[in-house]
Amino acid sequence: MRAERIESNDLLAMDLSALLMDHPLYGFPELHVEDIASICRADLIRLVAAGAHCFAVRDGGGAVQGVACIFSMEWDTQHFSMPMYRVQIVTDRDISSSAVAAMLRAILEASCLRCGGHVSAEVNVDNYTVLNVLLEAGFEILDFRRTYVTNRMRADVDFVRMRSRVRPYQVSDYEAVMSIVRNTDFPSRFGRDSALDQGLVKTMYTSWFDGLLSGTGKTSSVMVYERAGEIIACGGIGEKDFSYAGVARKMRTNSLYTSKKGAVGAYAPVLYQLIIEALQTHDMVETTASLNNRTVCRIIEGFRSYKSASSSCSLRLLVR
């Protein structure tokens, strides 16, 4: 099986409709298959334009069965002081292991990975062919995650207690919130990655939260939770505007939550308030949580307006 290098012009003419069932946005309300194809194509074109190596495989009739690319993550590389790369693979459900292996081999060889490099990937758990090929190539599993999405929220909120303690973040709250953030451990694939400096992982989340706070009212929404006049929890959520792909939809996404010890019961009202306010300005709200974070998953599912859109596996390869 031979993988062919593809450029931006090739992607413009390529039919990607058969490759979307395992796309992270597949099944999202407000996004039709045509929208997801446009977003997938625009994302790949942007990556290629930025220097990503992209390869595809075709079946005997010439139809595209899969596309794979690898790109360098500049911010991550600088922050962790090591070469950080990301692999993205989209395939149809009938692709063979040899075809996926051919694409993976092609992108890894083309990228000339530096020794000590770190390669991450996110794969739909239903795509066993891709998962197994990555595992055989030396990738290791670091996390299983579930993505929930909604475009509406129930009006009866009796099951969400303590909503009165939630209010919008104000600039004067900054130090109180960041003090909590600096003392919070965020469970994720980064915390399970022995190749990463855990001190730098912590500062990464600090930077992420700082960005949410600074973007309040523009690209993000942030809520704080008070008890006896003291801020004991805070949650923020960013956005994704798909207009770059010609799709007139906006989604709230990339949320982060922090709390003091003893802030039991704060997560549900904070998340609920973020959701109902987000749906006034955005078409959808997406929340992704590690499957081992059972409390968070249980709260999200308890809203009963969220749809479990997909589950994914986070992997990484260390270049030796």
Side-chain angles (χ1 to χ4, degrees):
M1 176 65 68
R2 175 180 170 273
E4 62 180 90
R5 181 184 289 274
I6 55 176
E7 305 294 345
S8 298
N9 289 337
D10 301 315
L11 288 163
L12 287 171
M14 197 170 280
D15 181 8
L16 303 176
S17 57
L19 314 182
L20 303 178
M21 286 190 68
D22 293 322
H23 190 278
L25 297 175
Y26 188 81
F28 275 37
E30 309 297 333
L31 290 178
H32 302 295
V33 172
E34 296 80 8
D35 297 328
I36 299 171
S38 296
I39 293 167
C40 181
R41 179 177 289 103
D43 287 342
L44 289 170
I45 289 174
R46 288 172 68 175
L47 289 173
V48 170
H53 299 279
C54 196
F55 284 79
V57 290
R58 301 177 185 271
D59 63 18
V64 177
Q65 283 194 299
V67 176
C69 69
I70 187 169
F71 56 95
S72 176
M73 298 188 292
E74 294 183 8
W75 187 93
D76 302 71
T77 295
Q78 183 176 3
H79 181 76
F80 288 106
S81 298
M82 62 188 300
M84 302 282 285
Y85 307 91
R86 182 79 165 178
V87 163
Q88 289 190 358
I89 302 175
V90 289
T91 70
D92 67 23
R93 287 287 178 90
D94 297 324
I95 195 167
S96 66
S97 296
S98 60
V100 176
M103 289 194 299
L104 181 62
R105 185 166 54 251
I107 61 174
L108 293 179
E109 290 176 355
S111 60
C112 299
L113 300 179
R114 292 161 55 189
C115 185
H118 182 288
V119 187
S120 61
E122 194 82 17
V123 180
N124 189 299
V125 295
D126 288 330
N127 199 331
Y128 300 104
T129 301
V130 172
L131 277 174
N132 285 325
V133 169
L134 291 177
L135 291 172
E136 289 173 5
F139 280 78
E140 299 176 62
I141 296 173
L142 294 179
D143 197 12
F144 287 97
R145 308 195 303 165
R146 179 163 292 158
T147 294
Y148 301 88
V149 64
T150 186
N151 61 348
R152 62 182 179 83
M153 184 54 70
R154 290 172 56 196
D156 57 320
V157 294
D158 293 342
F159 61 97
V160 180
R161 302 176 180 178
M162 305 302 180
R163 285 186 64 209
S164 61
R165 294 181 175 177
V166 180
R167 64 166 174 81
Y169 164 82
Q170 301 169 358
V171 175
S172 58
D173 300 326
Y174 180 83
E175 287 302 330
V177 171
M178 292 306 294
S179 175
I180 301 173
V181 172
R182 286 189 285 268
N183 288 284
T184 299
D185 291 322
F186 297 93
S188 71
R189 67 179 177 90
F190 295 97
R192 301 185 192 100
D193 197 331
S194 59
L196 300 180
D197 182 316
Q198 290 304 300
L200 293 175
V201 169
K202 201 172 190 71
T203 58
M204 178 193 71
Y205 280 106
T206 302
S207 298
W208 181 354
F209 223 111
D210 185 80
L212 289 172
L213 298 183
S214 63
T216 302
K218 295 170 286 188
T219 57
S220 62
S221 174
V222 183
M223 296 289 163
V224 299
Y225 183 95
E226 290 182 316
R227 180 185 294 162
E230 177 190 11
I231 295 174
I232 62 171
C234 179
I237 191 168
E239 72 171 9
K240 179 81 170 179
D241 187 340
F242 296 111
S243 59
Y244 71 91
V247 178
R249 291 286 184 271
K250 288 198 302 182
M251 177 175 72
R252 282 293 189 197
T253 184
N254 291 330
S255 58
L256 206 55
Y257 174 81
T258 184
S259 67
K260 289 187 173 183
K261 292 182 178 179
V264 178
Y267 179 71
V270 168
L271 179 60
Y272 187 88
Q273 198 66 32
L274 285 171
I275 295 169
I276 61 173
E277 296 212 0
L279 291 176
Q280 297 175 19
T281 56
H282 291 67
D283 301 286
M284 298 166 288
V285 182
E286 177 268 334
T287 303
T288 297
S290 292
L291 284 177
N292 68 333
N293 198 336
R294 297 181 181 88
T295 300
V296 169
C297 291
R298 185 171 64 250
I299 290 172
I300 294 173
E301 291 164 1
F303 288 157
R304 299 206 302 274
S305 293
Y306 259 117
K307 172 186 177 183
S308 177
S310 65
S311 296
S312 60
C313 179
S314 301
L315 308 98
R316 71 101 156 93
L317 172 73
L318 297 179
V319 183
R320 305 187 188 281

